Amino acid sequence: GIGERMSPAPQLPPCFLIIAKDGSGASTKEAYAALDAIKRGRPHRADALIAAMQENNLQEMGRWIYNAFEEVVLPIRPKAAALKAYLLKQDCVFAQMSGSGTAVFAVFDQYETARRALNRLQAKGCPEAVLCRPFSGDILSEEAETEHIEIIGE
């Protein structure tokens, strides 16, 4: 499918995320056109990803998570590609481009490792980076429905 059918995913295992952007952007329209032109991509294995989430297995999640836009966006956005490569060197479990744009997220299993990685990233001059963790509670109110991540303060 193409996203027309959605169902709830299992809660993420305990983890910490860095979401970072290099300051540039990418056109969603151009990204879709480029993806359509190559008509490639890894076989869809949402079942394996969901099973890894149900097992609280971050390493296995990293094996199955996939973003086809990386094939067409990262080659023309070298800063985003460099950002992902840098995050992968920071002892994260896995890193991935988010959506069709140039934001990248890295998943860490330890807070201190994620904090050190964020500090290094900020010291390198990354213009936009935040450390957060997945929202881990039940949705209790309409207000909370829009809060899917919890930003971790200084």
Side-chain angles (χ1 to χ4, degrees), residues 6-115:
M6 296 179 69
S7 56
Q11 185 172 318
L12 286 174
C15 60
F16 300 89
L17 302 104
I18 291 178
I19 304 170
K21 197 164 190 258
D22 65 16
S24 70
S27 163
T28 300
K29 180 180 178 181
E30 290 173 12
Y32 270 99
L35 193 60
D36 287 344
I38 65 168
K39 297 190 187 316
R40 283 197 326 242
R42 199 163 87 181
H44 184 62
R45 287 296 315 266
D47 57 334
L49 178 59
I50 290 169
M53 292 170 74
Q54 289 169 333
E55 296 166 4
N56 286 333
N57 189 331
L58 289 174
Q59 277 76 21
E60 193 68 9
M61 283 176 58
R63 180 176 173 205
W64 294 110
I65 197 162
Y66 175 69
N67 183 346
F69 285 111
E70 285 193 351
E71 292 185 52
V72 295
V73 173
L74 293 183
I76 62 170
R77 295 288 188 254
K79 287 182 179 180
L83 180 57
K84 179 181 177 186
Y86 184 78
L87 285 168
L88 285 168
K89 293 177 184 174
Q90 302 305 308
D91 296 322
C92 66
V93 180
F94 62 90
Q96 187 77 54
M97 190 177 82
S98 176
S100 61
T102 56
V104 177
F105 66 93
V107 177
F108 296 82
D109 56 2
Q110 299 293 319
Y111 170 77
E112 287 303 324
T113 306
R115 171 53 70 190

